[in-house]
Amino acid sequence: MLELTILLVVLLVGYYTYKWIIYPLYLSPLCKIPGPPSDHFLLGNFIKLMTEEIGIPQIKWTKDYGEIICYRGLLNEPRIAITNLQALQKVLVSDVYDYHKPTFLSAKKIIGEGLVLAEGDVHKRQRKMMNPVFSHSNIKEMIPTFAEIGHLLKEIWMKELVDNKERKFDITSYLSQATLDIIGKVGFNYQFNSLTSENELASAYRMILFNNTRSSFHDLIALLSNFFQIIHKLPIKYNYIIKEASKIIEKVSSKLVNEGLEGVKQSNLQGNDILSVLIKRNVEEKDNEKMTFDELKNQIMTFLAAGHETSSVAIGWGLYNLSKDKELQDLLRKELINEFPDPNFIPTFDQINKLEYLNAVVKETLRLDPPIPVALRVSNKDDFIDGYFIPKGTTIIIPINTIHKLPSIWGPDSYEFKPSRWLDPSISSPDSKINSNYSWIPFLTGTRSCIASKMALNEIKVLLAILIRNFEFRDEGIKIKKRFSIVAKPDPDIKLWVKKVDKN
Ligand code: HEM
């Protein structure tokens, strides 16, 4: 019996030594790709990846080893990061459907199997139907809603600042409420009212999904659960939270789609919100192209998850960057006051998009602090990238935050917040490295790029314009890190000193 046990232990140790150490570090064809040595016999480069900002270790590795590198995740899992133009073009455009999103179970429960997670023909069909929903003319109609909610936030702050003193506000939390209200309204004509009366659903939704009580520990559990599925079955608080979140989102989404479908039946579905436009389009589609009830419902979950935090985080980092540089902030405010002398302005699409400095500030914020710092793919067939053999199942990293800071593209000041780089006419010359579809990619690029990028840009611009036009922001001097999670959330929350602008 003892001998059998010893044999079993030896076999198990041998198997896992081979699987987790010998094969990935010495035998895998991916070992041919240059990259940093593994820092730990089991954890690979994972500790470095977890302790530094996402994408930053890869900058040095790219400099040392080239534009396609192999480093090691947990259990030495090889991860291939690509920064070169041809490789990015292949994975994001020409062979896009050969590189799937990883099956993140925790993400599926929250995001639902909508456009973000759809693959192949299902993605093609859904994207074709949804592209027109994000058309120029639909986005133009969203601007007054962005402004309405921006002004609501402004009024809340004005009341707090009634004595004209400077006060410290939790910017992250206010912006999270404002962008939730926006996506509710423009997404599916739903009033979350999270900035004001806060209905039960809004508080439950924020508490469960986006409240900052969701700690780095939860982020780590979410990450680990992608490797060890058993984690989903454990009776831990994290699983309970995800289960409750899924139930709430499911319930609301079903109700909204049912109401929309009923509206179509009664021929009185008026709204211009994303869901109403989608439901109206869906009715006109051929039967085999139509989205099912579940597909429509899943898009709501998708819009909530994809469109709420990304925008709030972007506006937050924008204000944070501006709060550290009074001169830049004043420059932007000058442009805004010039265009919008009335502090209660409602901009038009053309007005907000012609402001050069605002545009430069937004582009620079999304470069320096991309809300989604990294995109992941998994090859679904054996392939070659840049001459290297990539076996089916390999994880490919598109390190957005790395690409956005490579000195070879952006120059030696690539870590600085410098909106003026976008006003330099030389960046549009054909040989400028910045002037490429693969250098500035906060929304990614190609077939699976963010479908709502223009909507997001306008939302960020309108909110920043209202806030900077009416308030001065001052940094409290605390170093803010980025959380290790899908969205680059600030840690701790961004808190800034705010006061009314002197002359209105
Ligand atoms: C600053 C704000 C935003 C940023 C930086 C951003 C960024 C991105 C990125 C990088 C992707 C690609 C992810 C990947 O393929 O791995 C993506 C996809 C997507 N985003 Fe956004 N996003 C933003 C706002 C929004 C908003 C407001 C919505 C919805 C109303 C939205 C909806 C989507 C959807 C549906 C996809 C999937 C597209 C597809 O696969 O065809 N995003 N976004």
Side-chain angles (χ1 to χ4, degrees), residues 101 115-116 123 127 183 306-307 310 377 442-444 448 450 452:
K101 307 257 174 105
L115 190 67
V116 170
H123 178 266
R127 180 98 190 193
I183 191 69
T310 41
R377 296 292 186 266
F443 300 104
L444 230 53
R448 304 221 55 167
C450 180

Side-chain angles (χ1 to χ4, degrees), residues 475-491:
D475 172 31
E476 63 165 351
I478 287 181
K479 176 143 178 53
I480 312 268
K481 290 192 299 185
K482 287 181 184 131
R483 275 217 193 138
F484 190 86
S485 64
I486 298 175
V487 177
K489 288 180 265 187
D491 181 20

Side-chain angles (χ1 to χ4, degrees), residues 90-252:
K90 177 180 171 72
V91 172
L92 297 176
V93 183
S94 59
D95 296 357
V96 61
Y97 290 118
D98 293 337
Y99 291 87
H100 282 185
K101 307 257 174 105
T103 40
F104 274 176
L105 276 185
S106 53
K108 258 188 198 174
K109 283 190 185 155
I110 295 171
I111 300 182
E113 291 181 75
L115 190 67
V116 170
L117 297 179
E119 295 292 351
D121 287 344
V122 176
H123 178 266
K124 265 189 219 163
R125 176 173 59 81
Q126 291 192 359
R127 180 98 190 193
K128 190 173 134 228
M129 193 185 298
M130 283 165 67
N131 269 334
V133 177
F134 292 92
S135 68
H136 188 82
S137 57
N138 280 350
I139 288 164
K140 266 185 168 177
E141 295 200 20
M142 295 176 184
I143 302 260
T145 306
F146 301 156
E148 182 199 321
I149 291 167
H151 283 299
L152 190 60
L153 177 58
K154 181 197 81 188
E155 290 310 321
I156 292 171
W157 287 0
M158 285 290 180
K159 276 195 195 130
E160 297 271 332
L161 301 171
V162 75
D163 53 6
N164 284 335
K165 282 207 185 117
E166 190 180 38
R167 290 223 153 70
K168 192 156 68 172
F169 290 146
D170 185 332
I171 301 290
T172 303
S173 164
Y174 274 117
L175 289 174
S176 175
Q177 293 169 1
T179 56
L180 181 60
D181 285 354
I182 288 180
I183 191 69
K185 192 88 196 295
V186 302
F188 20 91
N189 197 18
Y190 183 84
Q191 305 274 5
F192 278 106
N193 287 337
S194 60
L195 268 176
T196 50
S197 50
E198 174 108 359
N199 66 30
E200 196 189 6
L201 171 68
S203 53
Y205 176 77
R206 284 195 306 105
M207 267 295 290
I208 293 166
L209 287 178
F210 299 109
N211 192 294
N212 279 339
T213 52
R214 240 199 94 168
S215 60
S216 300
F217 174 70
H218 281 165
D219 292 337
L220 179 65
I221 295 275
L223 183 86
L224 291 178
S225 63
N226 298 312
F227 295 90
F228 307 107
Q229 309 270 315
I230 183 119
I231 291 181
H232 289 287
K233 308 255 180 281
L234 300 177
I236 51 176
K237 196 174 162 198
Y238 172 77
N239 284 336
Y240 174 73
I241 289 174
I242 293 285
K243 207 168 148 201
E244 286 305 302
S246 312
K247 262 199 245 164
I248 290 175
I249 301 174
E250 165 81 29
K251 190 180 87 187
V252 182

Side-chain angles (χ1 to χ4, degrees), residues 148-372:
E148 182 199 321
I149 291 167
H151 283 299
L152 190 60
L153 177 58
K154 181 197 81 188
E155 290 310 321
I156 292 171
W157 287 0
M158 285 290 180
K159 276 195 195 130
E160 297 271 332
L161 301 171
V162 75
D163 53 6
N164 284 335
K165 282 207 185 117
E166 190 180 38
R167 290 223 153 70
K168 192 156 68 172
F169 290 146
D170 185 332
I171 301 290
T172 303
S173 164
Y174 274 117
L175 289 174
S176 175
Q177 293 169 1
T179 56
L180 181 60
D181 285 354
I182 288 180
I183 191 69
K185 192 88 196 295
V186 302
F188 20 91
N189 197 18
Y190 183 84
Q191 305 274 5
F192 278 106
N193 287 337
S194 60
L195 268 176
T196 50
S197 50
E198 174 108 359
N199 66 30
E200 196 189 6
L201 171 68
S203 53
Y205 176 77
R206 284 195 306 105
M207 267 295 290
I208 293 166
L209 287 178
F210 299 109
N211 192 294
N212 279 339
T213 52
R214 240 199 94 168
S215 60
S216 300
F217 174 70
H218 281 165
D219 292 337
L220 179 65
I221 295 275
L223 183 86
L224 291 178
S225 63
N226 298 312
F227 295 90
F228 307 107
Q229 309 270 315
I230 183 119
I231 291 181
H232 289 287
K233 308 255 180 281
L234 300 177
I236 51 176
K237 196 174 162 198
Y238 172 77
N239 284 336
Y240 174 73
I241 289 174
I242 293 285
K243 207 168 148 201
E244 286 305 302
S246 312
K247 262 199 245 164
I248 290 175
I249 301 174
E250 165 81 29
K251 190 180 87 187
V252 182
S253 310
S254 297
K255 182 171 171 280
L256 290 169
V257 174
N258 273 324
E259 281 170 7
L261 291 171
E262 193 51 36
V264 168
K265 246 197 235 159
Q266 312 283 338
S267 312
N268 64 359
L269 183 63
Q270 307 289 348
N272 279 325
D273 57 281
I274 300 172
L275 181 66
S276 300
V277 177
L278 188 59
I279 289 180
K280 280 183 256 177
R281 270 191 65 79
N282 199 43
V283 175
E284 286 153 23
E285 284 296 329
K286 289 189 235 134
D287 277 351
N288 60 343
E289 302 270 305
K290 274 193 183 27
M291 282 196 198
T292 62
F293 179 86
D294 276 352
E295 280 181 311
L296 287 167
K297 188 187 73 189
N298 287 341
Q299 306 310 337
I300 299 184
M301 294 157 81
T302 295
F303 293 144
L304 271 180
H308 164 214
E309 279 242 303
T310 41
S311 303
S312 79
V313 156
I315 304 163
W317 287 118
L319 290 176
Y320 178 68
N321 290 327
L322 288 164
S323 74
K324 293 203 228 184
D325 194 326
K326 187 170 176 337
E327 218 174 292
L328 290 185
Q329 207 186 130
D330 287 346
L331 257 169
L332 175 57
R333 189 168 303 108
K334 204 171 149 206
E335 181 182 58
L336 292 167
I337 292 182
N338 197 24
E339 182 65 30
F340 306 115
D342 175 1
N344 301 316
F345 66 97
I346 306 286
T348 64
F349 178 90
D350 293 338
Q351 263 179 318
I352 203 79
N353 283 294
K354 77 170 187 215
L355 298 176
E356 284 186 346
Y357 202 65
L358 178 64
N359 186 47
V361 163
V362 171
K363 288 197 93 168
E364 185 65 348
T365 297
L366 292 171
R367 179 191 73 80
L368 196 66
D369 303 303
I372 299 190

